[in-house]
Structure formats: C-alpha cells, structure tokens
Amino acid sequence: MPKKWLFYASLGVLMDMMERFVKESKKREMTSDRRMTAFAQTIEDVAKQLATDPVSGLSAAQVRRRLETHGPNQLRRAGRKSFFAILMHQFQSLIVWLLTGAAALSFMMGDLPEALAIIVVLLINGLIGLVTELRATRSMEALMQIAEVQTRVRRGGAEQLIPAQELVPGDVVVLDAGDVVTADLRLAEASNLQANESVLTGESVPVGKDVAPVRADAVLGDRTSMVFKGTSITQGAGVGLVVGTGMQTELGQISDLVQRSLSGAAPLERRLDQLGHRLIWLTVALAILTIGAGLLHGHNIMIMLQTGVALAVAAVPEGLPVVATLCLARGMWRMSARNALIRQLSSVETLGATTVILTDKTGTLTENRMTVVRYFLAGGDVAVQDHGARFVTQGQAVDPATDDRLGWALRLGAFCNNAKLGADSRNGPTGDPMEIALLATAQAAGMPRADLLATYPEEREYAFDPGLKMMATVHVGDGGYLFAVKGAPEAVIAACTQVAGADGPVPLDDTARRDWSDRQAQAASDGLRLLAFAMKYADAESPPFDALTLVGLVGLRDPIRAEVPDAIAASRSAGVRVVMLTGDHADTARAIAQQAGLSDGELNVVEGAAIADLDPETADDQQRAQMLDADVFARVTPETKLTLVAMFQNAGHVVAMTGDGVNDAPALKKADIGIAMGAHGTQVAQEAADMVLRDDAFSSIVAAMREGRVIFDNIRKFVVYLMSCNVSEVLVVGIAVGGGLPMPLLPLQILFLNLVTDVFPAFALGLGQGDEHVMQQPPRDPSESIIDKPRWVLIAVLGLAITMATLGAFVLALYWLMLGIGGAITVAFVTLALAQLWNVFNLRDHDAEFLRNDVTRNPYVWGAIVLCLGLIAMAVWLPPLAKMLNLDPPGAKGLLLAAGASVVPLIFGQLWIRFAPIPTRHDRT
C-alpha cells in the first residue's frame, strides 16, 4: 500500500507539473504572439486581448496573477562568474595537463622534489591568471551595476509609481519626455511623442510615434505604434499598454541572441593547444626511443624509466604557462591603465591578430549627439564653429547680432523647441537631440531661450503634426503676433511665399524653389539632417502654416569622434580593414564613412536588405565577394550583423566588432573580440563584449591592437627561446644515453634549469617594447601558428648548437680533465645553464644590429641575466642547494671549460641569423 500511495502521489505531482508547464507555455506563447502583432492591431483589439482597460488599468488581483505567470520584468543575465570557475579556467591548457601528468609520473617514480617543483609551477601560473582575470571580471560586474528604475502606471483607476521589474502584460504605462521605456508598449495615446531607439536600431534621430496601426511586415524601426524596452522618450507624452516584459521584449530577444551566440576559443589559446599537442607526441616519442636505446645497451630498466621521466621533464617547457600568463597579464594591466578593460587574458593577443574591424556607427564612430554644423540662408551658407561661439561665411566671421537672417534662424530654432539644456552636469539635457543642439547653439551665440521668451513671450504652441511635418509657436512681440515655424524642409518651403533677403522678404518663385531644393539635396548627400525655419507676423487666430517667409535651413549631424579619423588611418596603415555597420540610409552612411576616412576612393556601400536572407554557409562566391569587399553596410539589423561576423570569420578573418547598443550585443558575442563602449554603452552590450572601453575612445582599439601584436611577437620569441633550450636538454640526455655515456644531467637539475634559469630570460623577452614599426606591418595570417617552419628550424639549430657545446664540455671534463662523473655532470650543468642564458641574444631580429637591438635595449633581459648568474652560482657553491641537485665542485678548470664552451652556441646563432634570417611581416610587404 505505501508503495502504491507513493507511486500515485508521484504521478499526481508529475501531472500537475506538466499541466502547469503547458499552461505557462501557452500563456507565454500568447504574450509572444501579442508582442509580435500588437503594432499591426487597433488599440481596442490589443486591450481586449490583454483584458485590460486603458483608462483604469489592471486590478491588484490581476497584477498578482500575471506576475506569477510571467515573472518579473527583467532580463535573464549571465550568471555571476564564480571564483571556482575562474580558477578552473587557468588549468584548461594542454601544456598544463602535460605538466600535471609529468608531476603524477614523478610521484609514482618516488621523485618527490621534482613532482613538488612542477606542482609549484602550476600553482604559480594559476594564481597569476586567477588574480588578473578575477580583478577584470569583478571590475566588469561593477561597471554594469544599474540603479532601480521607477515607472508610472495606472492601476485600479489611480496613477502610481512602481519598480519597473513589477510591470506585467496589460499594465497601462504613462509616458513623458525624459522617461526610459521599461517594457514593450502598444501606444494608446500619443501627443507629439518621439522616442530615441538608437540602442535597438542604431538610428540616432528620434522616431515620431502615434497610435495608428502599421503594416504587419513593418521592420522594427517602422513600428511607430510601439515603444520598446530600453529606449527613451525625447519629446511629448503618451500612454501605452504593456505587451511584453522581460525576455519577451525586443530587448529580451536580442539578449537571448547574445546568450545563444557561440564564442570560440581565442586564437592564442588555439595556438598554445596546437603546440601542446605537438609536445605530447614529441615527449612520448623521445621517451620511447631513449628507453629503447638504453635497454638495447643493457641499462637497468628502472634507470631507463627515470631517464624517461627526465626526458619528459626536459621536453616540456615548464616555464611556458607562467611566462605566457605573465606576459598577457602585463598587457591586460597596461590596457586597463588606458581605460580598456579586458575580460580574459587571451583577448589581449586576439586584438593583435585582428584582420577586420566591424564597427557600429552611432556612439562608436560618432558621439551619439546632434550638433549644428551649418545654416543655409538666402545669402549663402554659414558654417558653425565651436558649437555656436563662432559663425563663418566665405572665410569671414559673421555676427548674429548684426546679421538679421542668421539671428532669426537662431531665434526660431530656440522658439520651436521643447528640449531643456539642464542646469549642470548632474542634470543634463533632455528632449529631442536636434532640439537640444538648436538650443545649445543659440545659447552659445548669446541667445538663451529664457531671454528670448522674455522679449517674445510664448502665447501658444502648435505641436508637431506628423501629417504636415511641421510645428509652430506663437509669440507676442513687436506690436503683434510672431509665428515661428520649424519642420521638414520640403513641407516648410511648400508653405512659404517669400524668402528672407538681405533687405527684407522677397518672393519665393519657382526658380528660387528649385535652388533651395538643390541645396537641400546636396546637404542631405553630405550626411546632414535638415530642418527648415520660417516666420510671419499675423493676427493671433491666423492659420500657422500658410503665407510664411522662409528664413533658411539648418544642417545637423551626429559628429565623428575627434580621434576616429586618425585611429582608422592607423588601422588601415596596419593592414586592418574597418567596415562600418549602421541603421542609416545608404547616402547618409556613405557621407559619414567618408568623414571618418574609411576609404581614399569610392566607398562600396551595401544595403542590409541584400543580405537579409543570406546564409554564410551556402552563399556563392559572387555573394561572398560582394559582402567581403564592402566598406559600409547600411540599414542593418542585429541578425544581419551576426551574418556578417560569421561570413568574415568563414573567410578566414579574425573579426573585432565594436558597438554600444543592445542591437550590437549578439555580434559582439559572436566576434573573435567584442569591444563595447563603457561610458555610454548599454549593459547588454558590455556583458557580451570581451573588452570594454571605459572612455569610449576608438583610439584605444589601435593601442590595444599594437599591444596585441607586440605580445604575440614576444610570445613567439620566448617560445623559441624556451623550446630551443628544452630541445638541447632532450638531445643532451638522449644522445648521451644512446651513445653509451653516463647521464650528463639528472632530472632535478633539468627541472632547476627549466624553472629557474629559463623562466627569467623568457619573461624578460615577454616584456619587450616591440618593434617601433609593428603598426606599419600587415596583420599576420590568422592560420599562422606560434612556431612556423622557419622557427622550428631555428629551434633545432640553436638546440643542436647548445647540445654539442654541452656534450663536448661533458666529454672533455670526463676524459681530459678527469673530474669524475660528479664533476663532469657539474661542468655539463654550468655549460648548459650559461649557454641558455647567452641564447637570449640569438632572438634579435635579423635586420637589427648585434649590439643595438630590441633584446639588448630591453633592461629586463640584463636584469634576468644578472639574477640567473646569481642563481647558478648558488646552485654550485651553496652547499644545501648543491647537495639537493647532486652537483660536485667542478674546480677552476672545469668552470673555465664550461664558460668557454657556453659561448660557442652564441657565436653559431649569430652566424645563422646573418646568413639564414627568418623573414618578418615587414619583409613580406
């Protein structure tokens, strides 16, 4: 009976869980369907589906039930990276696993000191990486802490402020200028309402909103009956019904794309793993060959197993993980000092491998704020300098106080305006970005709006009419009523009968209209946003939009960041392509790209519609070529950006993606290196990125690329150094055993050399400042390994030279100086140690001088040599250490022999560099 009861109880619980899951899924599907189609339905239909009243809102009981069903209105964030997860990441390298295996084998063989020494190395490596990545991760988490947002809603017939996370579908939200939209809303009321949707669409110009349904196939930027979570209200007021919360919003869908986008291992991690695979096979092969040779010569099997362990220790560069980690950590710290926050160590080097940068326009190349740059008047164009402090036409300064047409253009821009500049830096400007720019320009010209309204008090305002594309304000002044009009140029010019001339209004005939139309088209092709100003004096009840006098046009643009053209020029000089992605139309995008310096010639602009349905995996060669040759992609969507990242990656590029908006986040996650803006970037973008620019400076990307290239070159140098040293150790032991000689080096001695005398010179190489021309060279081939064929040859040559010198000194000490096996081993040890120290000078570039090069100019190299000489002296003459290493006194003759023999590999290496140089990227350009 108890078993049956337990079975039925369990079955009941399971069925109840399934029923709740199905019910919740259906409700979520209904919410998703409403969100997807609400913009195309009437507000009455939407309200009926949501079972809500736009006037009184939801009841408390409805809110409680819906909150239980749909959950809080918040995005699902990536879990906080735990201390343990960061720690485990430090031990995922194949080389680390290989060393762990060597330590385990040493324990099994009873060589406790060797095993402990390897474990200490692994712990040091893990500690350095842990501290560095933990600091970066916690800094990133602190950067993304945001304050709780409040939202005004109607519930139970009354308005109230609630935390935004408590919003539910069907809530009635009241909107006003300056508000951040906290859920996806279908508008029920809209009065002169505009929203800044740049975080979703990349468009910096606010979008006008109204309650009328739009087409069912309208793209996000054309859904004027909706406002979306994460955007902001720049002008007007409105009321909206919540149709999506949390992950069921457009913002949530993009956040989900981010979390589902796969980000692979960094190029450096892949290359180190490739090196680890090769080392594993090399170690196994050498150990088998040497043990087999020893057994053929009649050596004891236990001795041969110990020799195998010695070879394994010799073949694996124990210092490589430590030096690589320290080298990357130093680059990470250097970039942090330049306001570039790096999430993971390997991301520093990835920037150095970058071949193409896909950059968002708004907020990345531009400042994400509108600025007045030019007034178009009947007498000519007037350029605006210093944000309105100076006006210039034909090289001559113009004073708006004396130039009537310019003065009225400034006044009208301030009159027809609902923005506020803010009293201080804490209370910044609010409202439409273009209206903010007009206010700021007028104020800089000595015409603050408050002073103008004191002279011309505002009687009434005619709000912006989307159908007429104009707005007007009526002011009392000069004995009558002044009508100030602002709007779209084509609409305002059509409403004008006169134009302001030098001596007063003149008729606006067909010829003049064509001239203004041509000027408007030219300005638009230059990437300017245009508004027109007009005015008239009339009776208070006169129609506002007829019989007007055209004063002029104003051109505004989202300005290019000051450092961007130089940064792009530096990128192009370094062989890195910069491709702009924007939601703007093609003509505007082309003009901005030209200002940024993306190309010296004709720009290749591709519309996003051309790749909307393109599959990177199945695209034909012609389609790929068209995409890969483009300089600018206009009217792009988040999905399009993901497609482009995948396409460039499939073509073999290492892709860096920059952005600040929510719409950039999926591509940031997918790219090899995602770069988000920290000062003005969104939380979603920062979470997706590998690097965050805290000052939003594009120039920091170039500095990071240089740092990455220098780091890779340095890593390559110290890997060649370490591997040539390790090859010499393997050959010394292997040749001696195979030739029937006594063991010239013991395992613990090899470990001492690998962990002490090898590491410091290698680390010094990793701290080099790099070639001063590194950014005038093309990026390396992304498929190029750390150790290419010429460098494997160099490793073999240098390793063989050190081997011959060491074995020669060992044989001479044993049979010429008659020092005995103990003394001869010490001579071999000192010869090998010194030869490896001098080997650091064989890592200079072939076109550098012997005495003046990047190695000899590196102070860390000289410090490492002095330190290592001291450590070698301690190993020989400090009794406890000498006893532990089994080093007998070699005598003066033995030391002289070791010193002389150690110089031979240096001489041989310099001759090899002279007559068989390794070509650099600079040589291949």
Side-chain angles (χ1 to χ4, degrees):
M1 185 69 180
K3 288 184 179 180
K4 287 185 179 180
W5 178 86
L6 184 61
F7 170 76
Y8 288 121
S10 302
L11 185 61
V13 170
L14 181 61
M15 292 179 66
D16 182 60
M17 289 174 63
M18 291 177 64
E19 183 180 356
R20 288 171 59 189
F21 175 77
V22 170
K23 188 183 297 184
E24 184 172 327
S25 297
K26 287 182 178 179
K27 288 183 178 179
R28 292 188 184 276
E29 287 175 7
M30 290 171 61
T31 300
S32 180
D33 290 341
R34 282 195 300 267
R35 180 182 62 81
M36 295 300 292
T37 61
F39 57 86
Q41 301 178 48
T42 65
I43 187 61
E44 292 78 14
D45 288 342
V46 174
K48 184 178 179 179
Q49 291 177 23
L50 291 167
T52 188
D53 182 353
V55 177
S56 59
L58 299 172
S59 67
Q62 286 177 304
V63 170
R64 187 168 55 254
R65 287 195 299 271
R66 296 185 186 195
L67 192 60
E68 289 176 358
T69 300
H70 299 281
N73 174 35
Q74 59 189 23
L75 300 182
R76 182 173 63 246
R77 289 190 55 184
R80 188 174 188 265
K81 201 170 183 181
S82 68
F83 176 90
F84 183 74
I86 298 172
L87 177 63
M88 287 299 98
H89 183 258
Q90 313 310 315
F91 298 96
Q92 293 176 1
S93 164
L94 269 176
I95 293 178
V96 170
W97 296 348
L98 191 57
L99 289 174
T100 304
L105 191 57
S106 296
F107 266 122
M108 292 170 59
M109 299 296 297
D111 296 323
L112 189 61
E114 296 164 21
L116 291 176
I118 296 174
I119 290 172
V120 168
V121 171
L122 294 174
L123 291 177
I124 292 173
N125 174 68
L127 182 62
I128 294 169
L130 172 67
V131 171
T132 305
E133 285 196 23
L134 186 65
R135 186 168 68 175
T137 301
R138 297 300 178 251
S139 297
M140 194 76 71
E141 290 169 353
L143 182 69
M144 292 185 292
Q145 292 299 314
I146 57 173
E148 186 179 83
V149 178
Q150 299 284 314
T151 298
R152 184 174 297 278
V153 298
R154 292 175 184 167
R155 285 182 176 176
E159 287 193 5
Q160 54 185 285
L161 276 175
I162 65 167
Q165 65 181 19
E166 295 179 8
L167 281 176
V168 296
D171 257 327
V172 180
V173 176
V174 181
L175 301 169
D176 205 350
D179 287 350
V180 174
V181 182
T182 52
D184 282 2
L185 309 178
R186 171 61 168 89
L187 291 172
E189 302 174 23
S191 175
N192 193 26
L193 189 67
Q194 292 186 359
N196 185 337
E197 298 180 345
S198 61
V199 296
L200 285 174
T201 66
E203 289 273 14
S204 56
V205 176
V207 179
K209 299 291 182 178
D210 59 53
V211 299
V214 297
R215 300 187 325 272
D217 61 350
V219 297
L220 185 68
D222 295 334
R223 296 175 189 173
T224 52
S225 59
M226 297 279 296
V227 288
F228 303 101
K229 181 180 177 69
T231 62
S232 59
I233 304 301
T234 60
Q235 180 177 297
V239 174
L241 305 184
V242 175
V243 295
T245 59
M247 296 301 290
Q248 296 302 313
T249 61
E250 292 293 337
L251 182 64
Q253 297 303 298
I254 296 176
S255 178
D256 185 55
L257 266 179
V258 173
Q259 294 174 16
R260 287 190 285 110
S261 295
L262 299 177
S263 53
L268 180 64
E269 292 174 331
R270 293 195 294 266
R271 291 185 179 96
L272 287 176
D273 274 353
Q274 289 169 3
L275 182 59
H277 277 102
R278 292 182 179 181
L279 286 177
I280 288 174
W281 289 111
L282 178 65
T283 302
V284 171
L286 286 172
I288 293 174
L289 286 173
T290 305
I291 292 173
L295 292 176
L296 287 175
H297 281 83
H299 290 290
N300 182 275
I301 187 170
M302 288 305 297
I303 295 176
M304 283 294 88
L305 286 175
Q306 289 179 335
T307 303
V309 172
L311 282 172
V313 170
V316 180
E318 286 85 357
L320 179 57
V322 176
V323 177
T325 301
L326 283 171
C327 183
L328 291 170
R330 180 174 178 267
M332 199 170 179
W333 297 329
R334 282 164 62 93
M335 290 313 304
S336 179
R338 296 199 57 167
N339 290 312
L341 187 62
I342 310 292
R343 276 185 183 274
Q344 284 191 181
L345 293 177
S346 55
S347 297
V348 179
E349 185 274 340
T350 305
L351 267 168
T354 299
T355 58
V356 62
I357 299 174
L358 303 180
T359 177
D360 178 51
K361 183 211 74 176
T362 305
T364 306
L365 296 181
T366 67
E367 296 180 7
N368 199 16
R369 66 176 181 85
M370 300 304 290
T371 301
V372 175
V373 296
R374 196 181 310 161
Y375 285 93
F376 302 86
L377 308 175
D381 297 355
V382 178
V384 181
Q385 299 179 353
D386 300 329
H387 303 289
R390 178 177 166 82
F391 300 89
V392 177
T393 181
Q394 296 179 349
Q396 301 294 319
V398 182
D399 186 354
T402 58
D403 188 296
D404 202 43
R405 287 171 293 188
L406 177 59
W408 274 111
L410 288 163
R411 293 185 191 97
L412 295 175
F415 284 151
C416 299
N417 208 305
N418 291 297
K420 293 181 175 59
L421 290 181
D424 50 42
S425 59
R426 184 174 299 178
N427 300 300
T430 58
D432 183 294
M434 289 196 288
E435 291 192 346
I436 291 171
L438 294 173
L439 273 188
T441 304
Q443 181 162 301
M447 299 180 184
R449 188 170 192 268
D451 293 353
L452 294 175
L453 291 179
T455 305
Y456 297 91
E458 184 176 313
E459 181 74 11
R460 74 173 70 90
E461 175 183 325
Y462 292 90
F464 179 80
D465 187 323
L468 297 175
K469 297 182 180 180
M470 291 183 285
M471 71 167 291
T473 55
V474 183
H475 304 263
V476 179
D478 294 337
Y481 289 94
L482 166 67
F483 285 72
V485 177
K486 179 191 75 177
E490 63 276 10
V492 174
I493 292 173
C496 291
T497 58
Q498 303 180 100
V499 60
D503 299 319
V506 297
L508 185 64
D509 56 23
D510 291 341
T511 301
R513 290 179 188 277
R514 283 194 297 270
D515 178 60
W516 280 103
S517 179
D518 291 343
R519 295 176 73 183
Q520 175 189 345
Q522 180 59 47
S525 68
D526 291 338
L528 296 182
R529 308 280 185 176
L530 295 175
L531 294 171
F533 299 124
M535 60 183 287
K536 70 176 180 178
Y537 285 97
D539 294 335
E541 302 305 321
S542 173
F545 302 119
D546 65 354
L548 298 171
T549 297
L550 178 65
V551 174
L553 310 180
V554 61
L556 306 94
R557 69 162 49 108
D558 184 2
I560 297 291
R561 291 179 177 275
E563 79 280 357
V564 163
D566 289 341
I568 289 178
S571 298
R572 293 177 59 198
S573 176
V576 179
R577 286 191 62 208
V578 180
V579 179
M580 188 178 85
L581 314 180
T582 177
D584 284 330
H585 291 282
D587 289 342
T588 302
R590 179 181 284 106
I592 293 169
Q594 287 172 339
Q595 296 161 24
L598 252 64
S599 175
D600 294 328
E602 184 66 23
L603 287 163
N604 184 5
V605 181
V606 175
E607 291 270 6
I611 50 174
D613 299 320
L614 192 65
D615 186 343
E617 303 296 334
T618 60
D620 59 38
D621 293 342
Q622 183 178 353
Q623 290 174 318
R624 286 196 183 94
Q626 181 188 10
M627 299 303 112
L628 297 176
D629 290 342
D631 300 299
V632 178
F633 290 93
R635 306 299 288 169
V636 297
T637 65
E639 291 80 5
T640 304
K641 293 181 179 182
L642 268 177
T643 299
L644 290 172
V645 170
M647 182 161 289
F648 276 95
Q649 287 176 330
N650 290 347
H653 287 280
V654 174
V655 179
M657 169 75 195
T658 76
D660 66 336
V662 173
N663 61 322
D664 302 317
L668 290 173
K669 183 72 176 291
K670 173 68 175 173
D672 295 291
I673 176 87
I675 307 167
M677 304 298 113
H680 299 98
T682 59
Q683 174 189 348
V684 175
Q686 291 165 0
E687 275 196 334
D690 301 290
M691 182 171 90
V692 175
L693 303 178
R694 286 185 289 205
D695 58 355
D696 291 3
F698 195 85
S699 57
S700 295
I701 299 174
V702 180
M705 283 196 297
R706 185 191 187 281
E707 192 73 30
R709 289 188 176 191
V710 169
I711 284 174
F712 184 82
D713 288 344
N714 289 344
I715 288 176
R716 185 169 249 176
K717 284 181 179 177
F718 71 63
V719 168
V720 170
Y721 172 77
L722 286 173
M723 291 299 295
S724 60
C725 292
N726 283 63
V727 164
S728 67
E729 294 164 2
V730 169
L731 292 177
V732 164
V733 174
I735 292 174
V737 172
L741 293 172
M743 280 275 287
L745 291 170
L746 303 178
L748 196 56
Q749 295 168 357
I750 295 172
L751 200 58
F752 179 86
L753 293 174
N754 283 359
L755 301 183
V756 179
T757 57
D758 284 1
V759 166
F760 294 111
F763 184 47
L765 288 173
L767 298 181
Q769 296 300 310
D771 184 355
E772 60 184 6
H773 302 297
V774 70
M775 290 301 285
Q776 277 74 56
Q777 303 171 10
R780 65 182 178 274
D781 186 339
S783 62
E784 188 177 328
S785 60
I786 294 178
I787 307 298
D788 53 11
K789 185 176 180 180
R791 286 174 176 82
W792 279 116
V793 173
L794 181 62
I795 288 170
V797 168
L798 296 179
L800 189 61
I802 296 172
T803 299
M804 293 299 100
T806 303
L807 284 178
F810 177 69
V811 171
L812 289 174
L814 191 62
Y815 298 111
W816 179 47
L817 296 181
M818 306 298 290
L819 294 180
I821 292 178
I825 287 176
T826 304
V827 169
F829 174 84
V830 174
T831 303
L832 185 59
L834 294 178
Q836 290 179 350
L837 282 185
W838 314 145
N839 188 41
V840 76
F841 297 110
N842 289 327
L843 275 299
R844 68 175 175 87
D845 292 330
H846 73 88
D847 53 355
E849 300 177 13
F850 172 64
L851 295 177
R852 289 181 55 80
N853 54 66
D854 56 334
V855 177
T856 58
R857 286 195 300 264
N858 186 342
Y860 298 105
V861 167
W862 296 105
I865 288 174
V866 171
L867 176 61
C868 290
L869 287 174
L871 292 171
I872 294 168
M874 290 173 60
V876 175
W877 286 302
L878 191 65
L881 186 56
K883 183 178 179 181
M884 186 180 73
L885 294 174
N886 289 315
L887 292 174
D888 294 342
K893 292 182 180 180
L895 289 177
L896 285 173
L897 174 61
S902 69
V903 179
V904 173
L906 173 61
I907 298 172
F908 187 82
Q910 293 301 313
L911 291 172
W912 184 269
I913 293 172
R914 174 70 178 83
F915 295 106
I918 295 177
T920 63
R921 291 195 303 274
H922 185 70
D923 297 325
R924 295 194 289 267
T925 59

